[in-house]
Amino acid sequence: MSWDLLNIIGTVAFAMSGAIVAMEEKYDLFGVWLLALITAFGGGAIRNLLIGVPVSALWSQGGLFLIAILVALLIFVLPQLFLPHWSRWGVLADALGLSAFAIQGALMASAKGLPLSATISAAVLTGVGGGVIRDLLAGRKPLVLHKEIYAMWAVMAALVIDRFQLTNPLHLFTLLGLITILRMLSYYYEWNLPARRLGGE
């Protein structure tokens, strides 16, 4: 049950994110669908390659693909219901997607008995991989590489899951809430990792 709910939360949140970025770039309906699907499933596909799960396993998630397509279509047809509020609620959707998918990736790697490095990689790739591909296709600099503490929250989720071997739904959703709140705080208070340019500028 918890696994399915994490899947749905992450899929809806990231499909919304991909669709809205596509509309901001004035993509057509196909482009909106493509960016929504890539944002929702791109990270999981990369993760599967990394930890030895057949990429074809993604095609068993037909219900989630349908959810992502319907979410993107709803945003495309009724943008007035979403776009005016995206600046306020978009960070929440993004934070939920990051948290849900990072936890899902960490759980998958942990269940396979993989080492901590693989658990962290799976969490980060599942949580941010789709967003990186989305930004590249939209001609944007990936957020995770230059602004705010973003991927580090996925790392934190992986560390907690590996250290405490979380499987209880209550514990997992408590972690989901914690990572979501931390991601939102890092956005609103502009917490950033150190960055430098060549030449020390």
Side-chain angles (χ1 to χ4, degrees):
M1 176 61 182
S2 58
W3 179 271
D4 292 338
L5 193 51
L6 287 172
N7 260 331
I8 293 171
I9 291 171
T11 298
V12 170
F14 276 1
M16 289 177 63
S17 171
I20 288 176
V21 167
M23 292 186 67
E24 287 175 346
E25 298 297 328
K26 299 182 179 179
Y27 287 10
D28 62 15
L29 177 58
F30 179 79
V32 170
W33 271 332
L34 182 63
L35 233 59
L37 290 171
I38 284 176
T39 308
F41 299 101
I46 299 171
R47 174 207 64 216
N48 286 357
L49 284 171
L50 177 74
I51 65 174
V53 175
V55 178
S56 59
L58 284 175
W59 306 124
S60 66
Q61 304 180 76
L64 292 176
F65 276 94
L66 180 60
I67 288 172
I69 289 170
L70 291 176
V71 166
L73 180 61
L74 187 61
I75 291 173
F76 185 84
V77 173
L78 298 171
Q80 66 275 12
L81 293 182
F82 298 94
L83 298 184
H85 308 290
W86 184 249
S87 59
R88 177 181 300 178
W89 299 108
V91 64
L92 175 59
D94 183 77
L96 282 169
L98 168 68
S99 305
F101 276 175
I103 291 170
Q104 183 210 61
L107 286 172
M108 182 175 284
S110 180
K112 291 176 68 69
L114 297 175
L116 176 60
S117 57
T119 302
I120 291 174
S121 298
V124 171
L125 287 173
T126 313
V128 310
V132 170
I133 301 172
R134 174 203 65 205
D135 290 343
L136 291 174
L137 289 178
R140 302 180 176 188
K141 185 186 295 185
L143 175 71
V144 65
L145 300 181
H146 73 100
K147 189 177 181 182
E148 303 163 21
I149 300 175
Y150 192 81
M152 292 305 297
W153 302 130
V155 173
M156 177 180 170
L159 290 172
V160 171
I161 287 172
D162 184 83
R163 173 65 179 82
F164 297 104
Q165 294 297 304
L166 299 186
T167 56
N168 183 291
L170 177 60
H171 297 159
L172 291 174
F173 284 107
T174 299
L175 180 61
L176 174 76
L178 176 62
I179 299 298
T180 299
I181 290 169
L182 288 171
R183 161 61 187 142
M184 294 178 69
L185 288 174
S186 69
Y187 173 84
Y188 286 116
Y189 291 102
E190 298 182 348
W191 297 344
N192 296 296
L193 294 173
R196 294 188 67 180
R197 296 179 181 269
L198 287 177
E201 298 178 10

